[in-house]
């Protein structure tokens, strides 16, 4: 059986403007990889309602799971819950279970549950809540879409709440070899190797270091014996390489 | 006149597998922002021909410019040139001008211009070459699509070759304020401010530091006087904040 597939939709201007460098995508990619869920596409879009709706509808039709980050806080630029509701054609409003979580949290912290904070209890009809052990305001799952916060600590906590609920695949077994030669010198051998092991993914990731070119060759596959066999061939071809 | 818009298409498995963290997107975002070109969307897809073709066709229809990174090296997993040619419905083959660049480079370095390396001279019909001062093998521009390498040093050099050729927009003027209060406490004031300055983009980017929540408020706009006026209002509202 093929592994489940996933996409991520990052919502927010801060990465597109160059202001901040992504962290959530890198975290999610690693987590999904460990669970054998194939992250096949990521899209990053700005805080525009129509764009969020159309991106979400494209991704949820194509992949088994969609993970979103960003836009579910209390401020005016937090429009994700409304966009998700629109994508699914359902109503969105303050929901009692989400409100109860916020009431308890703000009683505990002594802060006021004002109108802005109450916006974080706006949940699309039919969604189930995602627990947020960091700052309480929940994310939610609707259909195959998991809607989570953009603050990395909260995003990571929500991912930890969601992932155990999903069907895992078989994690890819992977091995890599660092070869201090230009890609062009090793390409023919790699191509022959890829042809001999059609069920493996053999990736070649070039780098430049101290003025010299090299490449990390990464062999991935579900069958450990095949990956190991390909690595033996690689080591024979490039005896000077470093695992 | 509105600023030109742009999208980026990152091609390659290494970010999706969680193996490496993106660097090129962050670099390009900053460069475009400086030139007043609005990066509106990024997609990251794996080395799959059909997916590259469909993503590229969607993005080039929607935005003024599309920048791609990755997949133009000499190895078997470098399939970008073929996918771009397919997206434009043109032929792709080894081209004399690109081959001449490689011949000169490999004569200089004393390395062999073998069949794998010659693949880097495969250029779609009608494309113009993008100079690569780092390792010679060129990128190319076809229509509104700029095809560049994935190795960060090479990507950056190619961006430097391409950007001066494009029509710039008006760079957004931006100011920011760091407020050590939770978003929920400042949301109502920010919302009122955003309503009073409809031509500005007022973003609120929450963070968590040493167990406390805070937010960076970023005000962006083309009219410096408006941005400054909004910042004066912000400083009055939150006198304890730090610029």
């Amino acid at each position: 059986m093929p592994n489940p597939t996933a996409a991520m939709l990052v919502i927010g201007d801060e990465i597109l403007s160059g202001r901040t460098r992504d962290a959530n995508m890198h975290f999610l990619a690693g987590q999904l990889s460990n669970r054998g869920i194939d992250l096949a596409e990521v899209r990053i879009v700005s805080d525009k309602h129509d764009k969020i709706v159309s991106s979400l509808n494209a991704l949820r039709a194509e992949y088994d799971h969609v993970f979103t980050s960003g836009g579910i806080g209390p401020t005016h630029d937090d429009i994700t819950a409304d966009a998700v509701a629109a994508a699914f054609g359902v109503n969105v409003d303050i929901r009692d279970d989400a409100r109860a979580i916020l009431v308890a949290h703000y009683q505990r912290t002594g802060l006021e549950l004002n109108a802005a904070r109450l916006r974080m209890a706006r949940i699309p009809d039919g969604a189930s809540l995602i627990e947020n052990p960091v700052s309480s305001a929940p994310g939610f799952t609707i259909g195959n879409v998991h809607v989570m916060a953009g603050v990395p600590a909260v995003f990571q906590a929500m991912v930890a709440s969601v992932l155990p609920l999903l069907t895992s695949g078989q994690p890819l077994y992977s091995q890599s070899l660092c070869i201090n030669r230009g890609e062009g010198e090793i390409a023919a051998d790699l191509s022959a190797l890829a042809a001999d092991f059609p069920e493996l993914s053999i990736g070649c990731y070039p780098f430049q270091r101290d003025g010299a070119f090299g490449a990390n060759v990464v062999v991935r596959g579900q069958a450990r014996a095949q990956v190991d066999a390909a690595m033996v061939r690689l080591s024979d071809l490039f005896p000077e390489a470093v695992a």
Side-chain angles (χ1 to χ4, degrees), chain A:
Chain A
M1 215 174 99
N3 280 346
T5 59
M8 180 177 187
L9 180 63
V10 178
I11 297 157
D13 295 327
E14 59 270 46
I15 293 173
L16 294 173
S17 73
R19 209 184 139 266
T20 61
R21 194 174 162 187
D22 162 74
N24 291 338
M25 188 193 342
H26 185 59
F27 175 80
L28 182 67
Q31 294 288 307
L32 292 177
S33 183
N34 290 343
R35 297 185 73 87
I37 299 174
D38 296 339
L39 181 61
E41 181 169 357
V42 175
R43 296 191 192 184
I44 307 174
V45 299
S46 61
D47 305 320
K48 296 212 165 57
H49 179 87
D50 293 351
K51 188 70 201 170
I52 299 171
V53 172
S54 63
S55 302
L56 198 59
N57 278 335
L59 293 174
R60 73 189 179 95
E62 186 166 354
Y63 301 103
D64 295 327
H65 293 287
V66 180
F67 300 85
T68 81
S69 74
I72 60 168
T75 58
H76 64 282
D77 55 347
D78 289 307
I79 61 173
T80 298
D82 288 85
V84 172
F88 279 87
V90 301
N91 193 38
V92 56
D93 208 343
I94 291 171
R95 218 168 72 178
D96 288 344
D97 53 351
R99 188 213 308 255
I101 290 170
L102 295 178
V103 166
H105 173 73
Y106 287 102
Q107 276 177 349
R108 213 162 40 234
T109 57
L111 298 169
E112 183 203 358
L113 177 51
N114 57 24
R117 287 180 170 134
L118 209 45
R119 287 191 68 216
M120 295 190 287
R122 288 170 59 78
I123 306 289
D125 286 355
S128 58
L129 301 183
I130 296 175
E131 200 188 348
N132 169 4
V134 174
S135 53
S136 290
F140 57 85
T141 292
I142 179 169
N144 60 343
V145 177
H146 313 282
V147 177
M148 300 180 288
V151 176
V154 182
F155 178 80
Q156 292 173 20
M158 288 183 173
V159 168
S161 301
V162 167
L163 284 191
L165 307 177
L166 307 183
T167 304
S168 296
Q170 192 176 354
L172 291 187
Y173 176 67
S174 95
Q175 293 263 41
S176 71
L177 203 66
C178 178
I179 303 175
N180 285 313
R181 298 201 214 170
E183 278 194 298
E185 259 175 74
I186 64 176
D189 285 330
L190 289 185
S191 183
L193 191 68
D196 287 349
F197 291 91
E199 284 165 38
L200 300 181
S201 146
I202 298 177
C204 185
Y205 307 115
F207 61 80
Q208 197 190 19
R209 203 176 285 152
D210 302 331
F213 282 87
N216 285 301
V217 177
V218 181
V219 179
R220 296 187 194 87
Q222 294 195 336
R224 180 170 182 143
Q226 279 205 2
V227 173
D228 290 342
M231 289 303 290
V232 168
R233 275 270 298 275
L234 261 182
S235 303
D236 289 346
L237 288 165
F238 309 107
E240 83 287 8
V242 183

